[in-house]
Every structure is written in C-alpha cells, then in structure tokens.
Amino acid sequence: METASAGWAAAFLAGVAMYFQTAATREVDRRVVLAGLPPAQMVAARLLTGAALALFAAAVALVALAARTGFDDPARIVAGTVMFALIYLAIGAVIGTLVRNPVNGTIIVLFVWILDVFFGPAMSAADRWATRPFPTHFVTLWMVDLPSGHGGRLGDLGWALAWTIGAVALAWLVAIARTRRSRTRRAARPGGVHAQVLAASAAAWRDAGRNPALWVLFAVVPVVFIWTADAVTPNQPIALTISEAGEHLPAVYSMPEVHGATMAPIAIASLAALVGLFAMADARDGDRRAALAGMRTGALLTARLGVLAAAALAATAISLAATAVVFDAVRWPVYIGANILLALTYALVGALLAPVFGRVGGVFLAFLLPFLDIGISQSPMLRPEPAAAAQLLPGYGCSRVLLDGALTSSFNETRPLFYGLAWLAALAVLVAVAYRRAIAPVPGAIADFSAASRTGSRVSPSS
Amino acid sequence: MEDPVQTAAQGGIGPVLAASGIVKSYRRGLWPARRSVPVLRGADLALDAGEIVGLVGENGSGKSTLMKILVGALAADAGTVTRVGGLGYCPQEPLVYPRLTCDEHFDLFASAYAMTAPAVQASRESLYKSLGFARYARTRADQLSGGTLAKLNLGLALLADPQVLLLDEPYAGFDFDTYQKFWHLVADRRRAGRSALIISHFVVDEERFDRILDLTEGKTVPR
C-alpha cells in the first residue's frame, strides 16, 4: 500500500492542478483560438504545461516515498507514479473543460479520486468485477507487482499504458471540442420532424424528471426486493437445470446465490413496468391535444419511448448496483444484457397496460405481472426448469439468458435470447399501434383547403 | 338550405369551417344488451371569416361531441368537415401536462404549430399580458388555480393566432375581469378576420356573437 501511496499523491496533485489550470484558462484559450491559433495547438500547449505539473507532482511524491521507505523496484515505481499522474492530469483536464464552477469541479475530482483509491485494488479486493474499470486499477496492480489475473493478452502493464494514453487522448479531444470556434448550427425547421422530436423529447424529459413517485420507487424497490430477499434466504443447496456446452445438466447451487441472481430481474421488471405505465398514462391527454395542434404522432411517440428506455436503463443500473453488493455473477456482461432486455420488455408491457387498465389498475398489474412471470413461472427457486406454459411468457427468454450469465461460464441460451428479442419487437409494434390509436387525430376526418388550393373534394370520415 | 361544403369548395368567399350532415351515435352497454344512443342526427354548421358564432344547447345535447368531430378528435359516423387555414382548439377540460410549466407548454405547442422562436416569444408575451397570468409563466400546471389553468388552456389555442378558433366553454372559471379580457381578445381577432365557434351552456351576452346556433335533437338550429 505504501508503494501505491506515491501514485495516489501524484494523482491527486496532478488532477487538482490540471483542473484549476484548465478551468481558469478556458475562456482565455477560446479567445486565443478565435484570434486564429488552431485549437489543437492551443490544447497541446495546455496539456504539455499540465504534463510538467504532473511530472513535478510525481517527483514530489516519489521523493516523499523514498524518504520514508525507499524503493524496491525503482523503475516500476517511478513509471507507475508517472502513469498515475498522467491519468489524473487527463481527468483534471476533462473536468476543467466541462465544469466551470471551481467548487463543483474540485468536488468531482476529489470524488473520482476517493472512489478510485478507496475501492481500488490496494485498499479493497484486487479482483472485483465492478472496480476493474476504475482509472488506476491496472496501474496500481502493476506498480505493486500484484498480477491481476484478468489482464488477458494485453497484460496489466499493457492495460495501464492503454489507460494512460487513452485518458490523455480523450482529454485532448474533449478540450479541442470545447475550445474550437462554435459552428453555427443549422436551426431545425419550425414544425419539421427534427424540431418536433426535440420539443417533444424536452417536454417528456422534464415531465419524467418531475415525477417524485417514480424516483422514490427507484430508490425503494431494489432495496426491498434484493437486500431483504438476500437477508432472509437460508443458506441451503438448491437443484436446477442449466445449459452448458449445448446440454441441459442438473446442477446444485447455494440458495442465496440463485436468489441473488433472480431478485434483481423481478425488481427491474416491476420498476420498468411502472415506468412504462406512468409514462404513457400521465401523458395521454396532453399528447392527444398536442397531436391535434399539429404535433406528429411519431415525434411524440419517439419522445415517450426515449424517456421510457432511459428510465428502464436507470432502473436496471440501480437494481444491479444493489445486486452487486450481495451477489457476484459469473459473467456480468451477459447478466447485465439480459436484465436490460428484460427492463425494455417490461417497460413496453407497462406502456400497454396504461390504455387498457388505466393508472390504478395498471399499477396493480405492473407489480403483479412481473411477479407471476419472473418471480414464479420462471423462478429456479420453485422448479429446476420453467414449465411449458411459462415459456410463452415475455420473461422466459430473458430469464434463461440471465441465469446463464449469472451461473455458468459459457453462453448456451441462443434460442431463448432470440425469443426474448422477438417479444421485445412484438411489444414495440403493439405499443406503437396502441399509442397511435389513442393519440392520433382521426385520419381524414377533416379536409384542410388552403386558401391557394381550394378544391371540391369531399371527405366522409367513417361512413 | 345551401350546402356549406359546396360553398367552401367553390373558392372565393365562403366558410372557413363547414360541417355538413354530421351523424354520431355512442354505443352503450354490453352485448346482448348493447344499444346505440344517437347524439348528432345530421348537424350542419358553417363559419365565415371574421364571424363569432355561439353554439348552445342543454347538457348532453352533443355540443362537445360536435366540437371534437370538428377538431378531428372523434370520428363521425357520417358527414363532412372542411376548413381553411389553421385551427386552435380549447377543450372543455384543460388537457395539459400536469408537471410542465406554462412556458414549457407554449414551447411544445409552438413546435406543433410550426412557429418560429421570435413569433412564439411575441405571441406568448402578448397572451400573458392580455389574460393577466405572466407571473405564472414558470409555474407547473398542477400548481395553477382553476382560473389560471383555464387561461393556459385558452392560451394554447390562441398561441398561433389560427384562422379558426374552436372554444369549448372557454370562460368557465374566469373571474369577471378575465371574462372581459377574453372578449377583448376575441374582438381583436374578429377584426383581424379570424373566426370563432364558442360553445356554452347558456349565452349571457348575446350581442357579442354574430350568430347563435342551438343544438337541439342532434341538429343545429339558428336562434
């Protein structure tokens, strides 16, 4: 840990110094660019100055370390400390480019640094999936000579260098993008598809963001479902059937392990269904009037589905974060992907509930349907494999894929995956049709004769 | 009686909004006890440029149904509707987004009406001033009083200064001062050649209308 502390100190000093340098000079730099200096040159000069700061910070940290403990492997320690400093130089530059307020900027730099250090491999577990993407994960492990075991062909040093170079390159690009002369954007044509999608999306986002009931549910449901279930699950063996190498095999797991994997999707599906319900039920009257005023139904639907998808992803992220505390999937990417598919599927189910059952009945069903489907019909806690009838439900494909990701080391659920995708596509079509029926003005009900082109056409609405 | 649709179709001076032979029934009950309740039995209506027409009738006479058919919110069983130019609709119940502010409503509806940013700004300021609710510009709709919500409801119909205004009980909830302001707005628009069809349960100031139609037994009858 003492070895890594030189990197931490260098990182902190370099990050904060670069943040202030970038934030303080941003407007002046833009003025120089407006005067004619190419933005790439301006940013390169700024980063080189920052690199000098980073090297100075690294030198100070190394001197302090040498004075206290001495060096076992000077080359590794010096290189590691410099990489720490350069990565945080980039982080400071990006935050300085994007965040103007110095209090906010400093807090963000500090927050990133605290997360990185305190949950990093030197102070926490060396091999937690969730902390592998942290900026100095590989640098720390290489610097303290503790092989990660998950560096792959690139190796820990390769990943550390990739992080360093990538971070500086990203900082360069972000800084150039913010420094260059702003191009005059072509304004969206008033009333055009683009303008209407933008206006409807802005309204939909504001509307969703001001729904406190939704945010309370987001905070409460994952905790209640996942943590409580984990707390009360007895540690006993449970038998279920898994697919491995194309074969269905019986396997025995501990009950908390399986329960951890299966509670997140129930929470996610319930939240997503509620989000879908609220998004459509609350907006129906307003959208209908906006459509009568001239808003395209497609623009309104695009906005609603955009908010719906983002909220479903947020529900997934929150639920999986709660799950990660009590459960570690064998293959997180597959597990996450299956949960996202499930979230989108049930968000669309919720959207369909709104016009049929209304808000009150819909809330009841938004909780009941995921529970019946995911919590009972697909649950490996109740039977080793879902019954034939359960395979007709929307959660079947997603459940099989997520169990595959949670418990096995290779992917063997291609058919259920396509099954889940087919449900998603079918539900998307149904939602679009139902929304159009509920919102769109009566087609052909009115003939609009412009003053320039009055004709003698007659329109009979539905006769 | 002259067919208003034919008049509209022939060009030149004619109705900016014309409805002919509008028939509408609602189905009530479940099969086999299902029955059809006729509401409109061939209603006709024509609105000329610069004309303010009142549509009155008893509760349940079909005024709002006719209005919804004119707007395109409801399909008629039979009949024809034609119009010239843009249309502004003020429904009886304020159909708004509860969590959006007045300003945000105007921005969204401006996009629906294909208005430019300067035009929206000018029209919005004018409406705030005319109806006296500028201080609620940034207040959410679900936090507005009934009267202010009615102003927003009306403002959304007036925003684009449409050729035809269809107003369903627009001044329900207005105080007397706002009621007067409403009629000033309507008069201004009439002078500019705009038309309005105003639904009301009863008409107090008959002189403010050019014509009044009674909706009786599913048909419009001039008063």
Side-chain angles (χ1 to χ4, degrees), chain B residues 121-145:
Chain B
Q121 179 72 12
S123 179
R124 182 167 59 190
E125 296 311 317
S126 168
L127 286 168
Y128 279 141
K129 190 176 173 188
S130 304
L131 291 170
F133 69 120
R135 65 179 182 278
Y136 299 106
R138 291 178 184 154
T139 304
R140 286 167 43 160
D142 59 1
Q143 293 165 3
L144 295 173
S145 67

PDB file of all heavy atoms in Angstrom, chain B residues 121-145:
ATOM      1  N   GLN B 121     -42.232  33.873 -28.954  1.00  0.00           N
ATOM      2  CA  GLN B 121     -41.939  34.801 -27.859  1.00  0.00           C
ATOM      3  C   GLN B 121     -42.961  35.945 -27.850  1.00  0.00           C
ATOM      4  O   GLN B 121     -43.545  36.272 -26.799  1.00  0.00           O
ATOM      5  CB  GLN B 121     -40.509  35.356 -28.056  1.00  0.00           C
ATOM      6  CG  GLN B 121     -40.057  36.347 -27.006  1.00  0.00           C
ATOM      7  CD  GLN B 121     -39.795  35.659 -25.676  1.00  0.00           C
ATOM      8  OE1 GLN B 121     -39.735  34.431 -25.612  1.00  0.00           O
ATOM      9  NE2 GLN B 121     -39.682  36.441 -24.618  1.00  0.00           N
ATOM     10  N   ALA B 122     -43.196  36.523 -29.013  1.00  0.00           N
ATOM     11  CA  ALA B 122     -44.107  37.661 -29.100  1.00  0.00           C
ATOM     12  C   ALA B 122     -45.531  37.244 -28.721  1.00  0.00           C
ATOM     13  O   ALA B 122     -46.210  37.935 -27.941  1.00  0.00           O
ATOM     14  CB  ALA B 122     -44.079  38.229 -30.517  1.00  0.00           C
ATOM     15  N   SER B 123     -45.965  36.113 -29.256  1.00  0.00           N
ATOM     16  CA  SER B 123     -47.339  35.677 -29.008  1.00  0.00           C
ATOM     17  C   SER B 123     -47.536  35.325 -27.535  1.00  0.00           C
ATOM     18  O   SER B 123     -48.554  35.661 -26.922  1.00  0.00           O
ATOM     19  CB  SER B 123     -47.660  34.474 -29.893  1.00  0.00           C
ATOM     20  OG  SER B 123     -48.946  34.030 -29.655  1.00  0.00           O
ATOM     21  N   ARG B 124     -46.527  34.654 -26.970  1.00  0.00           N
ATOM     22  CA  ARG B 124     -46.627  34.237 -25.565  1.00  0.00           C
ATOM     23  C   ARG B 124     -46.722  35.457 -24.648  1.00  0.00           C
ATOM     24  O   ARG B 124     -47.577  35.518 -23.762  1.00  0.00           O
ATOM     25  CB  ARG B 124     -45.397  33.395 -25.231  1.00  0.00           C
ATOM     26  CG  ARG B 124     -45.398  32.855 -23.834  1.00  0.00           C
ATOM     27  CD  ARG B 124     -44.338  31.792 -23.684  1.00  0.00           C
ATOM     28  NE  ARG B 124     -42.999  32.270 -23.979  1.00  0.00           N
ATOM     29  CZ  ARG B 124     -41.939  31.478 -24.097  1.00  0.00           C
ATOM     30  NH1 ARG B 124     -42.066  30.179 -23.970  1.00  0.00           N
ATOM     31  NH2 ARG B 124     -40.752  31.969 -24.347  1.00  0.00           N
ATOM     32  N   GLU B 125     -45.850  36.433 -24.890  1.00  0.00           N
ATOM     33  CA  GLU B 125     -45.865  37.630 -24.048  1.00  0.00           C
ATOM     34  C   GLU B 125     -47.201  38.351 -24.167  1.00  0.00           C
ATOM     35  O   GLU B 125     -47.760  38.848 -23.179  1.00  0.00           O
ATOM     36  CB  GLU B 125     -44.720  38.573 -24.449  1.00  0.00           C
ATOM     37  CG  GLU B 125     -43.322  38.005 -24.226  1.00  0.00           C
ATOM     38  CD  GLU B 125     -43.143  37.417 -22.841  1.00  0.00           C
ATOM     39  OE1 GLU B 125     -43.602  38.053 -21.869  1.00  0.00           O
ATOM     40  OE2 GLU B 125     -42.589  36.310 -22.716  1.00  0.00           O
ATOM     41  N   SER B 126     -47.706  38.395 -25.389  1.00  0.00           N
ATOM     42  CA  SER B 126     -48.980  39.068 -25.621  1.00  0.00           C
ATOM     43  C   SER B 126     -50.112  38.361 -24.863  1.00  0.00           C
ATOM     44  O   SER B 126     -50.966  39.019 -24.261  1.00  0.00           O
ATOM     45  CB  SER B 126     -49.260  39.093 -27.121  1.00  0.00           C
ATOM     46  OG  SER B 126     -50.579  39.474 -27.367  1.00  0.00           O
ATOM     47  N   LEU B 127     -50.102  37.038 -24.894  1.00  0.00           N
ATOM     48  CA  LEU B 127     -51.154  36.286 -24.209  1.00  0.00           C
ATOM     49  C   LEU B 127     -51.056  36.440 -22.695  1.00  0.00           C
ATOM     50  O   LEU B 127     -52.069  36.614 -22.009  1.00  0.00           O
ATOM     51  CB  LEU B 127     -51.072  34.802 -24.588  1.00  0.00           C
ATOM     52  CG  LEU B 127     -51.553  34.459 -25.989  1.00  0.00           C
ATOM     53  CD1 LEU B 127     -51.166  33.034 -26.377  1.00  0.00           C
ATOM     54  CD2 LEU B 127     -53.069  34.618 -26.071  1.00  0.00           C
ATOM     55  N   TYR B 128     -49.830  36.375 -22.187  1.00  0.00           N
ATOM     56  CA  TYR B 128     -49.645  36.572 -20.736  1.00  0.00           C
ATOM     57  C   TYR B 128     -50.225  37.922 -20.318  1.00  0.00           C
ATOM     58  O   TYR B 128     -50.901  38.050 -19.301  1.00  0.00           O
ATOM     59  CB  TYR B 128     -48.163  36.526 -20.388  1.00  0.00           C
ATOM     60  CG  TYR B 128     -47.572  35.140 -20.246  1.00  0.00           C
ATOM     61  CD1 TYR B 128     -46.290  34.861 -20.712  1.00  0.00           C
ATOM     62  CD2 TYR B 128     -48.278  34.111 -19.617  1.00  0.00           C
ATOM     63  CE1 TYR B 128     -45.730  33.601 -20.582  1.00  0.00           C
ATOM     64  CE2 TYR B 128     -47.721  32.853 -19.480  1.00  0.00           C
ATOM     65  CZ  TYR B 128     -46.448  32.598 -19.972  1.00  0.00           C
ATOM     66  OH  TYR B 128     -45.897  31.354 -19.835  1.00  0.00           O
ATOM     67  N   LYS B 129     -49.910  38.938 -21.132  1.00  0.00           N
ATOM     68  CA  LYS B 129     -50.345  40.292 -20.799  1.00  0.00           C
ATOM     69  C   LYS B 129     -51.864  40.414 -20.939  1.00  0.00           C
ATOM     70  O   LYS B 129     -52.538  40.955 -20.046  1.00  0.00           O
ATOM     71  CB  LYS B 129     -49.638  41.289 -21.727  1.00  0.00           C
ATOM     72  CG  LYS B 129     -49.817  42.729 -21.335  1.00  0.00           C
ATOM     73  CD  LYS B 129     -49.016  43.623 -22.254  1.00  0.00           C
ATOM     74  CE  LYS B 129     -49.335  45.081 -21.970  1.00  0.00           C
ATOM     75  NZ  LYS B 129     -48.735  45.969 -22.956  1.00  0.00           N
ATOM     76  N   SER B 130     -52.394  39.907 -22.043  1.00  0.00           N
ATOM     77  CA  SER B 130     -53.832  40.062 -22.302  1.00  0.00           C
ATOM     78  C   SER B 130     -54.668  39.350 -21.253  1.00  0.00           C
ATOM     79  O   SER B 130     -55.702  39.862 -20.819  1.00  0.00           O
ATOM     80  CB  SER B 130     -54.186  39.498 -23.671  1.00  0.00           C
ATOM     81  OG  SER B 130     -53.418  40.088 -24.665  1.00  0.00           O
ATOM     82  N   LEU B 131     -54.243  38.147 -20.865  1.00  0.00           N
ATOM     83  CA  LEU B 131     -55.042  37.358 -19.931  1.00  0.00           C
ATOM     84  C   LEU B 131     -54.582  37.531 -18.485  1.00  0.00           C
ATOM     85  O   LEU B 131     -55.217  37.019 -17.560  1.00  0.00           O
ATOM     86  CB  LEU B 131     -54.995  35.873 -20.318  1.00  0.00           C
ATOM     87  CG  LEU B 131     -55.734  35.529 -21.618  1.00  0.00           C
ATOM     88  CD1 LEU B 131     -55.432  34.097 -22.056  1.00  0.00           C
ATOM     89  CD2 LEU B 131     -57.243  35.689 -21.445  1.00  0.00           C
ATOM     90  N   GLY B 132     -53.446  38.214 -18.288  1.00  0.00           N
ATOM     91  CA  GLY B 132     -53.002  38.537 -16.936  1.00  0.00           C
ATOM     92  C   GLY B 132     -52.507  37.355 -16.133  1.00  0.00           C
ATOM     93  O   GLY B 132     -52.909  37.175 -14.985  1.00  0.00           O
ATOM     94  N   PHE B 133     -51.625  36.522 -16.733  1.00  0.00           N
ATOM     95  CA  PHE B 133     -51.050  35.442 -15.905  1.00  0.00           C
ATOM     96  C   PHE B 133     -49.544  35.277 -16.137  1.00  0.00           C
ATOM     97  O   PHE B 133     -48.992  34.195 -15.976  1.00  0.00           O
ATOM     98  CB  PHE B 133     -51.811  34.124 -16.094  1.00  0.00           C
ATOM     99  CG  PHE B 133     -51.682  33.438 -17.440  1.00  0.00           C
ATOM    100  CD1 PHE B 133     -51.163  32.159 -17.515  1.00  0.00           C
ATOM    101  CD2 PHE B 133     -52.115  34.044 -18.599  1.00  0.00           C
ATOM    102  CE1 PHE B 133     -51.053  31.501 -18.721  1.00  0.00           C
ATOM    103  CE2 PHE B 133     -52.016  33.398 -19.823  1.00  0.00           C
ATOM    104  CZ  PHE B 133     -51.486  32.129 -19.877  1.00  0.00           C
ATOM    105  N   ALA B 134     -48.895  36.429 -16.426  1.00  0.00           N
ATOM    106  CA  ALA B 134     -47.453  36.387 -16.683  1.00  0.00           C
ATOM    107  C   ALA B 134     -46.674  35.861 -15.483  1.00  0.00           C
ATOM    108  O   ALA B 134     -45.651  35.185 -15.642  1.00  0.00           O
ATOM    109  CB  ALA B 134     -46.953  37.777 -17.066  1.00  0.00           C
ATOM    110  N   ARG B 135     -47.155  36.132 -14.276  1.00  0.00           N
ATOM    111  CA  ARG B 135     -46.368  35.715 -13.104  1.00  0.00           C
ATOM    112  C   ARG B 135     -46.390  34.195 -12.894  1.00  0.00           C
ATOM    113  O   ARG B 135     -45.678  33.672 -12.052  1.00  0.00           O
ATOM    114  CB  ARG B 135     -46.824  36.443 -11.851  1.00  0.00           C
ATOM    115  CG  ARG B 135     -48.231  36.135 -11.382  1.00  0.00           C
ATOM    116  CD  ARG B 135     -48.497  36.935 -10.114  1.00  0.00           C
ATOM    117  NE  ARG B 135     -49.798  36.693  -9.542  1.00  0.00           N
ATOM    118  CZ  ARG B 135     -50.926  37.264  -9.941  1.00  0.00           C
ATOM    119  NH1 ARG B 135     -50.894  38.101 -10.965  1.00  0.00           N
ATOM    120  NH2 ARG B 135     -52.076  37.001  -9.355  1.00  0.00           N
ATOM    121  N   TYR B 136     -47.245  33.521 -13.640  1.00  0.00           N
ATOM    122  CA  TYR B 136     -47.290  32.058 -13.524  1.00  0.00           C
ATOM    123  C   TYR B 136     -46.545  31.366 -14.669  1.00  0.00           C
ATOM    124  O   TYR B 136     -46.706  30.167 -14.870  1.00  0.00           O
ATOM    125  CB  TYR B 136     -48.738  31.576 -13.505  1.00  0.00           C
ATOM    126  CG  TYR B 136     -49.525  32.124 -12.336  1.00  0.00           C
ATOM    127  CD1 TYR B 136     -50.470  33.118 -12.508  1.00  0.00           C
ATOM    128  CD2 TYR B 136     -49.274  31.655 -11.046  1.00  0.00           C
ATOM    129  CE1 TYR B 136     -51.174  33.633 -11.431  1.00  0.00           C
ATOM    130  CE2 TYR B 136     -49.968  32.167  -9.963  1.00  0.00           C
ATOM    131  CZ  TYR B 136     -50.921  33.155 -10.166  1.00  0.00           C
ATOM    132  OH  TYR B 136     -51.597  33.661  -9.086  1.00  0.00           O
ATOM    133  N   ALA B 137     -45.745  32.129 -15.397  1.00  0.00           N
ATOM    134  CA  ALA B 137     -45.072  31.568 -16.581  1.00  0.00           C
ATOM    135  C   ALA B 137     -44.251  30.339 -16.236  1.00  0.00           C
ATOM    136  O   ALA B 137     -44.168  29.394 -17.018  1.00  0.00           O
ATOM    137  CB  ALA B 137     -44.188  32.636 -17.220  1.00  0.00           C
ATOM    138  N   ARG B 138     -43.642  30.352 -15.059  1.00  0.00           N
ATOM    139  CA  ARG B 138     -42.774  29.226 -14.682  1.00  0.00           C
ATOM    140  C   ARG B 138     -43.396  28.352 -13.607  1.00  0.00           C
ATOM    141  O   ARG B 138     -42.687  27.674 -12.861  1.00  0.00           O
ATOM    142  CB  ARG B 138     -41.420  29.752 -14.234  1.00  0.00           C
ATOM    143  CG  ARG B 138     -40.645  30.335 -15.404  1.00  0.00           C
ATOM    144  CD  ARG B 138     -39.329  30.904 -15.016  1.00  0.00           C
ATOM    145  NE  ARG B 138     -38.712  31.521 -16.188  1.00  0.00           N
ATOM    146  CZ  ARG B 138     -37.837  32.489 -16.147  1.00  0.00           C
ATOM    147  NH1 ARG B 138     -37.458  32.966 -14.982  1.00  0.00           N
ATOM    148  NH2 ARG B 138     -37.318  32.993 -17.241  1.00  0.00           N
ATOM    149  N   THR B 139     -44.707  28.396 -13.515  1.00  0.00           N
ATOM    150  CA  THR B 139     -45.405  27.552 -12.541  1.00  0.00           C
ATOM    151  C   THR B 139     -45.943  26.313 -13.252  1.00  0.00           C
ATOM    152  O   THR B 139     -46.460  26.404 -14.361  1.00  0.00           O
ATOM    153  CB  THR B 139     -46.573  28.335 -11.910  1.00  0.00           C
ATOM    154  OG1 THR B 139     -46.052  29.528 -11.334  1.00  0.00           O
ATOM    155  CG2 THR B 139     -47.272  27.516 -10.843  1.00  0.00           C
ATOM    156  N   ARG B 140     -45.811  25.177 -12.596  1.00  0.00           N
ATOM    157  CA  ARG B 140     -46.320  23.935 -13.179  1.00  0.00           C
ATOM    158  C   ARG B 140     -47.841  23.961 -13.259  1.00  0.00           C
ATOM    159  O   ARG B 140     -48.506  24.559 -12.414  1.00  0.00           O
ATOM    160  CB  ARG B 140     -45.873  22.745 -12.324  1.00  0.00           C
ATOM    161  CG  ARG B 140     -44.414  22.394 -12.487  1.00  0.00           C
ATOM    162  CD  ARG B 140     -43.919  21.440 -11.440  1.00  0.00           C
ATOM    163  NE  ARG B 140     -44.830  20.347 -11.156  1.00  0.00           N
ATOM    164  CZ  ARG B 140     -44.460  19.199 -10.578  1.00  0.00           C
ATOM    165  NH1 ARG B 140     -43.198  19.018 -10.249  1.00  0.00           N
ATOM    166  NH2 ARG B 140     -45.327  18.262 -10.330  1.00  0.00           N
ATOM    167  N   ALA B 141     -48.362  23.252 -14.249  1.00  0.00           N
ATOM    168  CA  ALA B 141     -49.817  23.271 -14.463  1.00  0.00           C
ATOM    169  C   ALA B 141     -50.560  22.699 -13.263  1.00  0.00           C
ATOM    170  O   ALA B 141     -51.657  23.159 -12.933  1.00  0.00           O
ATOM    171  CB  ALA B 141     -50.152  22.481 -15.726  1.00  0.00           C
ATOM    172  N   ASP B 142     -49.974  21.690 -12.592  1.00  0.00           N
ATOM    173  CA  ASP B 142     -50.688  21.094 -11.466  1.00  0.00           C
ATOM    174  C   ASP B 142     -50.657  21.979 -10.217  1.00  0.00           C
ATOM    175  O   ASP B 142     -51.230  21.631  -9.195  1.00  0.00           O
ATOM    176  CB  ASP B 142     -50.166  19.683 -11.154  1.00  0.00           C
ATOM    177  CG  ASP B 142     -48.685  19.660 -10.825  1.00  0.00           C
ATOM    178  OD1 ASP B 142     -48.056  20.735 -10.823  1.00  0.00           O
ATOM    179  OD2 ASP B 142     -48.138  18.567 -10.588  1.00  0.00           O
ATOM    180  N   GLN B 143     -49.956  23.121 -10.307  1.00  0.00           N
ATOM    181  CA  GLN B 143     -49.942  24.050  -9.179  1.00  0.00           C
ATOM    182  C   GLN B 143     -50.709  25.336  -9.484  1.00  0.00           C
ATOM    183  O   GLN B 143     -50.672  26.276  -8.706  1.00  0.00           O
ATOM    184  CB  GLN B 143     -48.489  24.378  -8.808  1.00  0.00           C
ATOM    185  CG  GLN B 143     -47.749  23.156  -8.256  1.00  0.00           C
ATOM    186  CD  GLN B 143     -46.245  23.335  -8.217  1.00  0.00           C
ATOM    187  OE1 GLN B 143     -45.727  24.385  -8.556  1.00  0.00           O
ATOM    188  NE2 GLN B 143     -45.543  22.292  -7.820  1.00  0.00           N
ATOM    189  N   LEU B 144     -51.379  25.365 -10.635  1.00  0.00           N
ATOM    190  CA  LEU B 144     -52.152  26.557 -11.006  1.00  0.00           C
ATOM    191  C   LEU B 144     -53.552  26.466 -10.412  1.00  0.00           C
ATOM    192  O   LEU B 144     -54.101  25.375 -10.247  1.00  0.00           O
ATOM    193  CB  LEU B 144     -52.265  26.651 -12.528  1.00  0.00           C
ATOM    194  CG  LEU B 144     -50.976  26.869 -13.327  1.00  0.00           C
ATOM    195  CD1 LEU B 144     -51.271  26.768 -14.821  1.00  0.00           C
ATOM    196  CD2 LEU B 144     -50.337  28.206 -12.997  1.00  0.00           C
ATOM    197  N   SER B 145     -54.149  27.636 -10.140  1.00  0.00           N
ATOM    198  CA  SER B 145     -55.553  27.655  -9.715  1.00  0.00           C
ATOM    199  C   SER B 145     -56.419  27.300 -10.933  1.00  0.00           C
ATOM    200  O   SER B 145     -55.938  27.311 -12.078  1.00  0.00           O
ATOM    201  CB  SER B 145     -55.915  29.051  -9.226  1.00  0.00           C
ATOM    202  OG  SER B 145     -55.889  29.955 -10.313  1.00  0.00           O
TER     203      SER B 145
END
